[in-house]
Amino acid sequence: MLNYAAALAGSRPSFRTGAQPGRDVPGGDIHEAGERMIVASGEELFSEGDTAEVFYKVISGTVRTSKLLSDARRQIDSFHYAGDFFGFEGADEHSFSAEAVEETTVIAFRRSSFRSLVRDYPEFADQLMSAMVSSLQRARDHMLLLGRKTPQEKIAKFLLDTAARLRKDDRIELPMRRADIADYLGLTKETVSRTLTQMSRDGLIRLEAIGRTVLLNDRTSLQQMNA
Amino acid sequence: MLNYAAALAGSRPSFRTGAQPGRDVPGGDIHEAGERMIVASGEELFSEGDTAEVFYKVISGTVRTSKLLSDARRQIDSFHYAGDFFGFEGADEHSFSAEAVEETTVIAFRRSSFRSLVRDYPEFADQLMSAMVSSLQRARDHMLLLGRKTPQEKIAKFLLDTAARLRKDDRIELPMRRADIADYLGLTKETVSRTLTQMSRDGLIRLEAIGRTVLLNDRTSLQQMNA
DNA sequence: CGGGAGGTTGACGTATTTCAACGACCGTGG
DNA sequence: CCACGGTCGTTGAAATACGTCAACCTCCCG
């Protein structure tokens, strides 16, 4: 009756897997209905224009989804962490790309098996629906950030959001490079770097290691840079 | 079984209506399952923080949905035209606002009646799902625009998109003010104005009336400013 | 030890914002 | 019918925040 299969889709499974059986195991774990894959850092899961046969759920690691302009300008629309779904499409082709930011494990669900998934795992449809609704909400938040926030505000929100997503308190281990942060926030990597060091000088944060580890010293001040 | 009701929602119906009966009319027009309302130009349909009881479909006119920062900076995430659904929420409260850009007619659907809607009008769920998927795709496109495009590219895309949405060929009647365009594209109204007059000087477009009517003289050049 | 990737820092230029004034249009009311 | 006020749009001048270009440094791995 309901043709959700026509509205949802995903991507083709990547090569180099770490496969697992699990298909048609009604009543069991949803994860058993898809194929587990391990993707190396930097590897592509799918790319703009690829046929969209599969969608994914992140088990561990980080995935970035992005769009490119012809001259290589890039906009990352989202980072996906453990538990997130990504790769739905309305058409047969992907309208964006996905790459692993670090070594990442995902489950790939075939778009064509969507109906049986919903039948065998009733909670699956709900999970997907709320994934889409929250993707939309996140997207609206991010448009506000991209269109109207200053670099300082962008970075502050990015740090707080990332800390929340990674369930870390004060010390966060950023999985992505400065260039990724820049393409996510609509800045250049230089501006990202400068803003971080300035925040460090101001005592808001503390940068460790190669700059991948950030300590949030003054959450209150960071939060005031929002709203 | 499927709890879509929990994942979808909308806004409270606005006052000043132009009501119509139509409820529980299985097999009939979906529109009969909601309440028709006429909203005056500039009027608010719902606002950030309102309880989300209703979602909408535009029948005629234009609606803008937006988010505000505390200092009144605004980001319009979308303009909604005839046929578009808007106002879904994952939570009980609206996370964005909606106002009529011009006199607009909408149908309001109660979030609580979602299940019966799906039962009585099977195609309804599909319509909603594809509305959400295409909202997401639009959002990703718009993030690319906001984060990475120049004012010229932004305006060019805006004009072409709007022409496509309004099903006009060369002459489009913009329903919104310059400030709305600016808040949609992440620019100032001055930059919007300057860019339009420059395009006019370059022969790409022609501005008529109070600047609300735009003639697309050179679609090819405008399209080249994208990709 | 060498090379490359990623990150930081500096100097500089400029595109866009900001601030401000002006003008066109519209509706209202005297 | 015209004057008035308000909204919206345009244009100008000036300031500056961010991007660009470039050098340098650290870390890491072969």
Side-chain angles (χ1 to χ4, degrees), chain B residues 9-32:
Chain B
S11 59
R12 63 128 206 284
S14 187
F15 6 92
R16 178 193 358 65
T17 67
Q20 243 197 352
R23 284 284 244 100
D24 303 314
V25 190
D29 186 349
I30 284 179
H31 296 167
E32 294 169 352

PDB file of all heavy atoms in Angstrom, chain B residues 9-32:
ATOM      1  N   ALA B   9       4.929  16.143  11.907  1.00  0.00           N
ATOM      2  CA  ALA B   9       4.073  17.078  12.626  1.00  0.00           C
ATOM      3  C   ALA B   9       3.959  18.363  11.851  1.00  0.00           C
ATOM      4  O   ALA B   9       4.322  18.447  10.705  1.00  0.00           O
ATOM      5  CB  ALA B   9       4.648  17.359  13.990  1.00  0.00           C
ATOM      6  N   GLY B  10       3.466  19.391  12.468  1.00  0.00           N
ATOM      7  CA  GLY B  10       3.300  20.642  11.749  1.00  0.00           C
ATOM      8  C   GLY B  10       3.042  21.770  12.694  1.00  0.00           C
ATOM      9  O   GLY B  10       3.691  21.900  13.718  1.00  0.00           O
ATOM     10  N   SER B  11       2.101  22.604  12.402  1.00  0.00           N
ATOM     11  CA  SER B  11       1.910  23.824  13.164  1.00  0.00           C
ATOM     12  C   SER B  11       0.461  23.998  13.560  1.00  0.00           C
ATOM     13  O   SER B  11      -0.394  23.234  13.159  1.00  0.00           O
ATOM     14  CB  SER B  11       2.316  24.986  12.304  1.00  0.00           C
ATOM     15  OG  SER B  11       1.510  24.970  11.154  1.00  0.00           O
ATOM     16  N   ARG B  12       0.228  24.998  14.328  1.00  0.00           N
ATOM     17  CA  ARG B  12      -1.154  25.259  14.735  1.00  0.00           C
ATOM     18  C   ARG B  12      -1.812  26.053  13.623  1.00  0.00           C
ATOM     19  O   ARG B  12      -1.177  26.860  12.957  1.00  0.00           O
ATOM     20  CB  ARG B  12      -1.172  26.065  16.041  1.00  0.00           C
ATOM     21  CG  ARG B  12      -0.549  27.434  15.956  1.00  0.00           C
ATOM     22  CD  ARG B  12      -1.447  28.514  16.463  1.00  0.00           C
ATOM     23  NE  ARG B  12      -1.121  29.777  15.837  1.00  0.00           N
ATOM     24  CZ  ARG B  12      -0.068  30.516  16.154  1.00  0.00           C
ATOM     25  NH1 ARG B  12       0.763  30.128  17.095  1.00  0.00           N
ATOM     26  NH2 ARG B  12       0.167  31.645  15.526  1.00  0.00           N
ATOM     27  N   PRO B  13      -3.100  25.838  13.425  1.00  0.00           N
ATOM     28  CA  PRO B  13      -3.775  26.547  12.351  1.00  0.00           C
ATOM     29  C   PRO B  13      -3.838  28.030  12.694  1.00  0.00           C
ATOM     30  O   PRO B  13      -3.932  28.405  13.852  1.00  0.00           O
ATOM     31  CB  PRO B  13      -5.177  25.942  12.343  1.00  0.00           C
ATOM     32  CG  PRO B  13      -5.333  25.276  13.658  1.00  0.00           C
ATOM     33  CD  PRO B  13      -3.983  25.039  14.233  1.00  0.00           C
ATOM     34  N   SER B  14      -3.714  28.834  11.689  1.00  0.00           N
ATOM     35  CA  SER B  14      -3.793  30.258  11.922  1.00  0.00           C
ATOM     36  C   SER B  14      -5.251  30.650  12.081  1.00  0.00           C
ATOM     37  O   SER B  14      -6.154  29.883  11.750  1.00  0.00           O
ATOM     38  CB  SER B  14      -3.162  30.976  10.743  1.00  0.00           C
ATOM     39  OG  SER B  14      -3.065  32.344  10.984  1.00  0.00           O
ATOM     40  N   PHE B  15      -5.475  31.805  12.602  1.00  0.00           N
ATOM     41  CA  PHE B  15      -6.813  32.359  12.822  1.00  0.00           C
ATOM     42  C   PHE B  15      -7.489  32.604  11.495  1.00  0.00           C
ATOM     43  O   PHE B  15      -7.503  31.732  10.642  1.00  0.00           O
ATOM     44  CB  PHE B  15      -6.633  33.672  13.574  1.00  0.00           C
ATOM     45  CG  PHE B  15      -5.187  34.005  13.686  1.00  0.00           C
ATOM     46  CD1 PHE B  15      -4.564  34.787  12.748  1.00  0.00           C
ATOM     47  CD2 PHE B  15      -4.411  33.381  14.684  1.00  0.00           C
ATOM     48  CE1 PHE B  15      -3.207  35.026  12.812  1.00  0.00           C
ATOM     49  CE2 PHE B  15      -3.045  33.619  14.733  1.00  0.00           C
ATOM     50  CZ  PHE B  15      -2.439  34.443  13.814  1.00  0.00           C
ATOM     51  N   ARG B  16      -7.969  33.768  11.321  1.00  0.00           N
ATOM     52  CA  ARG B  16      -8.563  34.220  10.069  1.00  0.00           C
ATOM     53  C   ARG B  16      -8.536  33.187   8.936  1.00  0.00           C
ATOM     54  O   ARG B  16      -7.628  33.115   8.155  1.00  0.00           O
ATOM     55  CB  ARG B  16      -7.798  35.464   9.601  1.00  0.00           C
ATOM     56  CG  ARG B  16      -8.266  36.026   8.273  1.00  0.00           C
ATOM     57  CD  ARG B  16      -7.302  37.028   7.697  1.00  0.00           C
ATOM     58  NE  ARG B  16      -6.152  37.296   8.535  1.00  0.00           N
ATOM     59  CZ  ARG B  16      -5.220  36.412   8.839  1.00  0.00           C
ATOM     60  NH1 ARG B  16      -5.285  35.191   8.388  1.00  0.00           N
ATOM     61  NH2 ARG B  16      -4.224  36.755   9.604  1.00  0.00           N
ATOM     62  N   THR B  17      -9.567  32.376   8.887  1.00  0.00           N
ATOM     63  CA  THR B  17      -9.548  31.322   7.882  1.00  0.00           C
ATOM     64  C   THR B  17     -10.445  31.657   6.705  1.00  0.00           C
ATOM     65  O   THR B  17     -10.662  32.799   6.370  1.00  0.00           O
ATOM     66  CB  THR B  17     -10.028  29.983   8.465  1.00  0.00           C
ATOM     67  OG1 THR B  17     -11.399  30.091   8.787  1.00  0.00           O
ATOM     68  CG2 THR B  17      -9.236  29.635   9.692  1.00  0.00           C
ATOM     69  N   GLY B  18     -10.882  30.645   6.080  1.00  0.00           N
ATOM     70  CA  GLY B  18     -11.802  30.741   4.959  1.00  0.00           C
ATOM     71  C   GLY B  18     -12.248  29.304   4.842  1.00  0.00           C
ATOM     72  O   GLY B  18     -12.306  28.733   3.780  1.00  0.00           O
ATOM     73  N   ALA B  19     -12.509  28.757   6.008  1.00  0.00           N
ATOM     74  CA  ALA B  19     -12.691  27.322   6.218  1.00  0.00           C
ATOM     75  C   ALA B  19     -13.545  26.609   5.172  1.00  0.00           C
ATOM     76  O   ALA B  19     -14.158  27.219   4.300  1.00  0.00           O
ATOM     77  CB  ALA B  19     -13.267  27.067   7.595  1.00  0.00           C
ATOM     78  N   GLN B  20     -13.522  25.324   5.294  1.00  0.00           N
ATOM     79  CA  GLN B  20     -14.241  24.416   4.409  1.00  0.00           C
ATOM     80  C   GLN B  20     -14.488  23.164   5.224  1.00  0.00           C
ATOM     81  O   GLN B  20     -13.712  22.840   6.107  1.00  0.00           O
ATOM     82  CB  GLN B  20     -13.328  24.059   3.221  1.00  0.00           C
ATOM     83  CG  GLN B  20     -13.864  24.531   1.894  1.00  0.00           C
ATOM     84  CD  GLN B  20     -13.170  23.808   0.758  1.00  0.00           C
ATOM     85  OE1 GLN B  20     -12.210  23.077   0.975  1.00  0.00           O
ATOM     86  NE2 GLN B  20     -13.665  23.989  -0.435  1.00  0.00           N
ATOM     87  N   PRO B  21     -15.543  22.412   4.922  1.00  0.00           N
ATOM     88  CA  PRO B  21     -15.773  21.186   5.699  1.00  0.00           C
ATOM     89  C   PRO B  21     -14.731  20.132   5.361  1.00  0.00           C
ATOM     90  O   PRO B  21     -13.554  20.334   5.597  1.00  0.00           O
ATOM     91  CB  PRO B  21     -17.175  20.763   5.260  1.00  0.00           C
ATOM     92  CG  PRO B  21     -17.358  21.375   3.907  1.00  0.00           C
ATOM     93  CD  PRO B  21     -16.531  22.618   3.891  1.00  0.00           C
ATOM     94  N   GLY B  22     -15.140  19.015   4.826  1.00  0.00           N
ATOM     95  CA  GLY B  22     -14.193  18.015   4.345  1.00  0.00           C
ATOM     96  C   GLY B  22     -13.302  17.410   5.416  1.00  0.00           C
ATOM     97  O   GLY B  22     -12.283  17.955   5.774  1.00  0.00           O
ATOM     98  N   ARG B  23     -13.651  16.289   5.941  1.00  0.00           N
ATOM     99  CA  ARG B  23     -12.906  15.467   6.892  1.00  0.00           C
ATOM    100  C   ARG B  23     -13.548  14.107   6.773  1.00  0.00           C
ATOM    101  O   ARG B  23     -14.739  14.011   6.524  1.00  0.00           O
ATOM    102  CB  ARG B  23     -13.097  15.960   8.347  1.00  0.00           C
ATOM    103  CG  ARG B  23     -12.335  17.191   8.714  1.00  0.00           C
ATOM    104  CD  ARG B  23     -10.848  16.930   8.933  1.00  0.00           C
ATOM    105  NE  ARG B  23     -10.420  17.191  10.313  1.00  0.00           N
ATOM    106  CZ  ARG B  23     -10.252  16.203  11.205  1.00  0.00           C
ATOM    107  NH1 ARG B  23     -10.493  14.960  10.890  1.00  0.00           N
ATOM    108  NH2 ARG B  23      -9.818  16.499  12.404  1.00  0.00           N
ATOM    109  N   ASP B  24     -12.776  13.073   6.917  1.00  0.00           N
ATOM    110  CA  ASP B  24     -13.344  11.724   6.825  1.00  0.00           C
ATOM    111  C   ASP B  24     -14.170  11.533   5.560  1.00  0.00           C
ATOM    112  O   ASP B  24     -15.341  11.207   5.599  1.00  0.00           O
ATOM    113  CB  ASP B  24     -14.227  11.445   8.053  1.00  0.00           C
ATOM    114  CG  ASP B  24     -13.423  11.625   9.327  1.00  0.00           C
ATOM    115  OD1 ASP B  24     -12.296  11.114   9.378  1.00  0.00           O
ATOM    116  OD2 ASP B  24     -13.925  12.298  10.248  1.00  0.00           O
ATOM    117  N   VAL B  25     -13.540  11.785   4.461  1.00  0.00           N
ATOM    118  CA  VAL B  25     -14.227  11.571   3.191  1.00  0.00           C
ATOM    119  C   VAL B  25     -13.371  10.616   2.361  1.00  0.00           C
ATOM    120  O   VAL B  25     -12.827  10.994   1.337  1.00  0.00           O
ATOM    121  CB  VAL B  25     -14.415  12.896   2.419  1.00  0.00           C
ATOM    122  CG1 VAL B  25     -15.335  12.685   1.238  1.00  0.00           C
ATOM    123  CG2 VAL B  25     -14.983  13.965   3.339  1.00  0.00           C
ATOM    124  N   PRO B  26     -13.222   9.382   2.855  1.00  0.00           N
ATOM    125  CA  PRO B  26     -12.338   8.401   2.212  1.00  0.00           C
ATOM    126  C   PRO B  26     -12.582   8.303   0.717  1.00  0.00           C
ATOM    127  O   PRO B  26     -13.716   8.362   0.276  1.00  0.00           O
ATOM    128  CB  PRO B  26     -12.693   7.090   2.902  1.00  0.00           C
ATOM    129  CG  PRO B  26     -13.277   7.505   4.211  1.00  0.00           C
ATOM    130  CD  PRO B  26     -13.982   8.794   3.933  1.00  0.00           C
ATOM    131  N   GLY B  27     -11.484   8.186   0.019  1.00  0.00           N
ATOM    132  CA  GLY B  27     -11.599   8.009  -1.418  1.00  0.00           C
ATOM    133  C   GLY B  27     -11.713   9.318  -2.167  1.00  0.00           C
ATOM    134  O   GLY B  27     -11.576   9.356  -3.375  1.00  0.00           O
ATOM    135  N   GLY B  28     -11.923  10.405  -1.436  1.00  0.00           N
ATOM    136  CA  GLY B  28     -12.067  11.688  -2.096  1.00  0.00           C
ATOM    137  C   GLY B  28     -10.739  12.390  -2.236  1.00  0.00           C
ATOM    138  O   GLY B  28      -9.676  11.784  -2.121  1.00  0.00           O
ATOM    139  N   ASP B  29     -10.784  13.677  -2.436  1.00  0.00           N
ATOM    140  CA  ASP B  29      -9.592  14.481  -2.581  1.00  0.00           C
ATOM    141  C   ASP B  29      -8.898  14.617  -1.230  1.00  0.00           C
ATOM    142  O   ASP B  29      -9.537  14.882  -0.218  1.00  0.00           O
ATOM    143  CB  ASP B  29     -10.004  15.861  -3.103  1.00  0.00           C
ATOM    144  CG  ASP B  29      -8.787  16.713  -3.420  1.00  0.00           C
ATOM    145  OD1 ASP B  29      -7.667  16.323  -3.046  1.00  0.00           O
ATOM    146  OD2 ASP B  29      -8.973  17.774  -4.036  1.00  0.00           O
ATOM    147  N   ILE B  30      -7.585  14.462  -1.218  1.00  0.00           N
ATOM    148  CA  ILE B  30      -6.824  14.619   0.015  1.00  0.00           C
ATOM    149  C   ILE B  30      -7.101  15.970   0.649  1.00  0.00           C
ATOM    150  O   ILE B  30      -7.194  16.104   1.866  1.00  0.00           O
ATOM    151  CB  ILE B  30      -5.308  14.506  -0.285  1.00  0.00           C
ATOM    152  CG1 ILE B  30      -4.948  13.049  -0.496  1.00  0.00           C
ATOM    153  CG2 ILE B  30      -4.487  15.084   0.846  1.00  0.00           C
ATOM    154  CD1 ILE B  30      -3.500  12.852  -0.817  1.00  0.00           C
ATOM    155  N   HIS B  31      -7.282  16.968  -0.187  1.00  0.00           N
ATOM    156  CA  HIS B  31      -7.474  18.316   0.343  1.00  0.00           C
ATOM    157  C   HIS B  31      -8.693  18.424   1.243  1.00  0.00           C
ATOM    158  O   HIS B  31      -8.759  19.280   2.107  1.00  0.00           O
ATOM    159  CB  HIS B  31      -7.576  19.319  -0.808  1.00  0.00           C
ATOM    160  CG  HIS B  31      -6.314  19.412  -1.598  1.00  0.00           C
ATOM    161  ND1 HIS B  31      -6.239  20.025  -2.808  1.00  0.00           N
ATOM    162  CD2 HIS B  31      -5.078  18.952  -1.326  1.00  0.00           C
ATOM    163  CE1 HIS B  31      -5.007  19.950  -3.265  1.00  0.00           C
ATOM    164  NE2 HIS B  31      -4.279  19.295  -2.386  1.00  0.00           N
ATOM    165  N   GLU B  32      -9.630  17.514   1.015  1.00  0.00           N
ATOM    166  CA  GLU B  32     -10.844  17.549   1.843  1.00  0.00           C
ATOM    167  C   GLU B  32     -10.560  17.104   3.273  1.00  0.00           C
ATOM    168  O   GLU B  32     -11.378  17.304   4.159  1.00  0.00           O
ATOM    169  CB  GLU B  32     -11.913  16.638   1.222  1.00  0.00           C
ATOM    170  CG  GLU B  32     -12.389  17.146  -0.126  1.00  0.00           C
ATOM    171  CD  GLU B  32     -13.239  16.104  -0.841  1.00  0.00           C
ATOM    172  OE1 GLU B  32     -13.308  14.960  -0.338  1.00  0.00           O
ATOM    173  OE2 GLU B  32     -13.820  16.446  -1.878  1.00  0.00           O
TER     174      GLU B  32
END
